[in-house]
Amino acid sequence: MAINSINTVTAAAAASTQTTTKSAEKTAETTKKAASSKTASGVIYEKSSDSRTDKASNKTTNKTDNAAIVAKLKADAEQRTAQLRSIVEQMMTKQGVAIGTADDMWKFLAKGDFTVSADVKAQAQADIADDGYWGVEQTSDRILDFAKALSGDDPDKADAMLEAFKKGFEQATKAWGDKLPDISQRTYDAVVEKFNKWKNGTEDASTEA
């Protein structure tokens, strides 16, 4: 009786062990298949980048960069113009000339009936020299850079930007009260030339030449 009980228990344990082993093997096989399917799926499907999102991102970046360039150019121009205005106003005050508007200041300068101190004269000569801040090259370059930044460096908008410059030049001439000085005329010509090269895509060629 005891032996039979032991045999029965042993057989039951063996059967239970076999069943558990088969169940474990089946579970492992199922898990393996699932993992294999998942891996295969991962290899087959790969999400591509959205070109529209990339373009929008680049457009936003370029717009931000252009805005920063415009802000820098404006701040620089305003600072230098304010310095020039301050010097002229001091000069006019010493000579007893009253100034009401900016137009009065420019018309006063246009007459040429004034004297300046040696240091002011030296600074003015340095500023309007060929390589000076208000010289033809630097001034025309700044105007072109400003136009490029405002237009997003689009050559198709060169004509429109050039027309805006010409209108500004006409207004400056009226404020001056007479024909602008030679340096202004030469700057005008340089701006027109650089705008045309920008529009025609010949800037690099001229630089290399």
Side-chain angles (χ1 to χ4, degrees), residues 90-111:
Q90 290 176 31
M91 179 181 68
M92 294 172 70
T93 301
K94 289 180 181 178
Q95 295 179 12
V97 180
I99 176 173
T101 64
D103 286 355
D104 292 337
M105 181 179 74
W106 299 125
K107 288 175 181 177
F108 166 77
L109 291 174
K111 291 178 181 177

Side-chain angles (χ1 to χ4, degrees), residues 75-204:
D76 183 46
E78 287 171 0
Q79 181 183 8
R80 296 300 294 255
T81 303
Q83 290 175 353
L84 176 62
R85 182 185 177 92
S86 177
I87 291 173
V88 174
E89 287 179 345
Q90 290 176 31
M91 179 181 68
M92 294 172 70
T93 301
K94 289 180 181 178
Q95 295 179 12
V97 180
I99 176 173
T101 64
D103 286 355
D104 292 337
M105 181 179 74
W106 299 125
K107 288 175 181 177
F108 166 77
L109 291 174
K111 291 178 181 177
D113 186 19
F114 55 84
T115 57
V116 295
S117 60
D119 55 338
V120 170
K121 183 177 180 180
Q123 181 61 50
Q125 288 175 334
D127 285 342
I128 65 174
D130 289 341
D131 58 347
Y133 181 85
W134 295 111
V136 174
E137 284 305 309
Q138 285 198 42
T139 302
S140 57
D141 281 344
R142 282 197 304 276
I143 292 171
L144 179 62
D145 290 342
F146 197 76
K148 285 182 175 181
L150 287 175
S151 65
D153 200 4
D154 184 357
D156 291 337
K157 297 179 181 178
D159 287 334
M161 301 303 293
L162 183 57
E163 282 305 310
F165 162 73
K166 289 180 178 180
K167 288 181 180 179
F169 193 87
E170 289 176 4
Q171 292 174 356
T173 303
K174 290 178 182 178
W176 186 253
D178 196 356
K179 185 179 179 180
L180 288 169
D182 177 65
I183 187 174
S184 299
Q185 300 296 333
R186 288 189 288 118
T187 299
Y188 179 96
D189 294 338
V191 169
V192 172
E193 181 182 0
K194 289 178 181 181
F195 268 65
N196 286 332
K197 288 180 179 178
W198 170 38
K199 179 178 68 174
N200 298 327
T202 56
E203 286 180 288
D204 294 337

